[in-house]
Amino acid sequence: MSQRVVFRNANIFDGSCKAPFAGEVEVTGQEITAVRRGRSTGRTRGGAGEQVIDCRGATLMPGLCDAHTHFSWNDQPSLSAIQLMPPEEHTLWCAQVAEKYLDMGFTSCVGAAAAKPRLDVVIRNAINGGQIPGPRYLANSQEIATVGGLGDVAPPHIEHEALSFGAVVSGPEEVRRMVRRFIKYGVDLIKLNLSGEEITGVPSAATVMSDEECAIAVKEAHGRGLRVCAHARSGESVRMCVRHGIEIIYHASFVDDDAIRQVVKQRDQHFVAPGLAWLVCTAREAAAWGIVPGSPLANAYEAELAAALNGLRKMHRKGVRILPGGDYGFAWTPHGRNARDLEYFVDLIGMSSMEALLSATRLGGEIMGQPDKLGQIRAGYLADLILVDGDPLREVRILQDRSRILAVMKGGSFYRAPGEKAWREPR
Ligand SMILES: [Zn+2]
């Protein structure tokens, strides 16, 4: 007999556009089997094989989804420092970070690139196999990077392939080979670095992958049923995403009106995850690591943030799907603060708190490729649920506070039941 869990007296935010309502939710096995409106009356204790939880008005909502996750970014201040962690330690690190995401209420994450070829795949398999706790995870490739572009971090006098952060290629045939290699490893997504990134010395507004290279990568990936995502900060790189059908557009900082028009026209084909935390924190909160506000580098990120917000506001108004995920995993954007993105969406893009919550729930189900199973509280959906102390619709900020996330359930099983101790940060 399947275990049944009943959440009574909950304030239910169900991930549709509906206003939250009082009610109860029944979970049987892995799925939500009933959602009932109204105040719970009657029994407060479950029968055999049944657990009844009195939510006392706490908010029950779908688990969150982070659309731009790098488990293998290890809270270091540079790409080289991330990449230099030996593979054994790096694998353990990723396992620990995966658990942290789940503990913070993220039951789904889209891998946005791994620092070593098989890290994402190994962690996804370990989560799915029940070896380690973690969110549902789409495993990504290393960043496929062009010689001298973002991800080719080796200094000019060193053979780049051996030491680099990304999988460094040049020319369509090398791109094809690299995509096939990652498909062989078992990735769910392919990541392309189309534009630069200020901090690496390659300007964000520069486009570093050619149209031919991009086209062949997408053709190979799509031909095998994989989706593609791209680091795309320049206007031209966003246009490349539209032109080649790259489903997930990361950053989109320097979108001009022409690029916006194109994204809007194809808005059902794309997701945009801007990664605002990276821009905000690099410009304003990285002084301890030498990026002092007012310095040329910090100013460049301020300018990029302003450009990005301008474009994002326009795209949001025109119905483009914008999702949270802030490139966490650098020293000044440590893992675990991911729900900050929702605050940025409200304060900086002008989303309503309803829209911000939907971007992390319903749109999360869509980007995970399971819109009929994930991201909402509805009968027949997987029971990925979090119980939140307070009303995140009034104050999205509370989702950043671990102590306010009272319970986390994934697929009908509690990672953390109400009253259980939160995951503890290792010393
Ligand atoms: Zn990233």
Side-chain angles (χ1 to χ4, degrees), residues 107-125:
T107 52
S108 290
C109 292
V110 179
K116 293 185 171 69
R118 292 180 61 249
L119 270 178
D120 258 18
V121 167
V122 165
I123 292 298
R124 178 204 61 199
N125 292 351

Side-chain angles (χ1 to χ4, degrees), residues 68-70 73 112-113 143 191 231 233 250-251 326-328 330:
H68 187 141
T69 314
H70 299 290
W73 281 202
E143 299 180 334
K191 170 79 178 280
H231 174 93
R233 295 195 180 279
Y250 287 136
H251 311 306
D327 236 333
Y328 291 85
F330 271 81

Side-chain angles (χ1 to χ4, degrees), residues 157-427:
H157 64 285
I158 292 178
E159 242 344 280
H160 55 80
E161 284 87 355
L163 268 179
S164 234
F165 182 76
V168 180
V169 294
S170 193
E173 206 41 53
E174 286 189 25
V175 172
R176 186 192 335 250
R177 183 177 180 79
M178 204 54 86
V179 171
R180 287 180 172 172
R181 182 175 155 220
F182 287 117
I183 293 174
K184 171 178 155 184
Y185 291 157
V187 298
D188 299 303
L189 298 163
I190 292 291
K191 170 79 178 280
L192 305 177
N193 282 355
L194 302 184
S195 81
E197 173 72 54
E198 221 63 41
I199 201 170
T200 66
V202 187
S204 292
T207 306
V208 295
M209 188 173 274
S210 73
D211 216 49
E212 294 76 15
E213 290 167 322
C214 185
I216 203 149
V218 176
K219 188 164 177 242
E220 285 295 320
H222 284 180
R224 296 289 300 276
L226 274 70
R227 290 182 292 167
V228 181
C229 58
H231 174 93
R233 295 195 180 279
S234 67
E236 178 53 24
S237 64
V238 173
R239 267 188 287 276
M240 280 169 87
C241 289
V242 176
R243 198 153 60 231
H244 299 291
I246 292 177
E247 290 85 354
I248 303 174
I249 305 174
Y250 287 136
H251 311 306
S253 304
F254 293 109
V255 278
D256 47 46
D257 286 344
D258 171 58
I260 291 174
R261 239 190 326 272
Q262 295 192 29
V263 174
V264 169
K265 222 166 124 193
Q266 300 289 330
R267 67 186 166 211
D268 296 335
Q269 263 74 58
H270 300 284
F271 298 94
V272 173
L276 286 180
W278 170 252
L279 296 180
V280 173
C281 299
T282 308
R284 300 174 188 172
E285 298 180 17
W289 293 274
I291 308 172
V292 180
S295 66
L297 187 56
N299 284 344
Y301 276 102
E302 264 317 329
E304 183 170 342
L305 176 63
L309 293 179
N310 180 43
L312 288 165
R313 287 186 201 117
K314 289 179 183 170
M315 287 191 280
H316 171 58
R317 278 200 296 274
K318 298 248 159 94
V320 173
R321 294 177 290 184
I322 297 172
L323 285 79
D327 236 333
Y328 291 85
F330 271 81
W332 50 93
T333 53
H335 290 292
R337 293 192 193 165
N338 305 53
R340 267 184 135 187
D341 273 45
L342 303 181
E343 184 184 341
Y344 297 141
F345 280 3
V346 172
D347 292 351
L348 304 179
I349 301 182
M351 284 191 192
S352 66
S353 55
M354 170 66 88
E355 289 168 334
L357 290 186
L358 290 174
S359 76
T361 54
R362 194 177 67 186
L363 294 188
E366 292 179 15
I367 199 171
M368 289 298 288
Q370 299 194 66
D372 302 325
K373 280 281 169 194
L374 293 175
Q376 297 187 50
I377 299 185
R378 280 167 73 168
Y381 275 60
L382 288 163
D384 287 9
L385 304 169
I386 58 175
L387 187 65
V388 182
D389 173 19
D391 183 1
L393 209 50
R394 278 216 189 122
E395 184 49 87
V396 292
R397 217 159 297 173
I398 62 177
L399 293 170
Q400 297 168 35
D401 180 354
R402 185 192 295 164
S403 69
R404 305 289 291 270
I405 297 168
L406 305 173
V408 180
M409 172 180 265
K410 185 185 132 199
S413 300
F414 278 114
Y415 163 68
R416 177 151 55 80
E420 273 180 16
K421 242 176 128 185
W423 181 81
R424 215 155 35 91
E425 192 83 41
R427 284 161 213 250

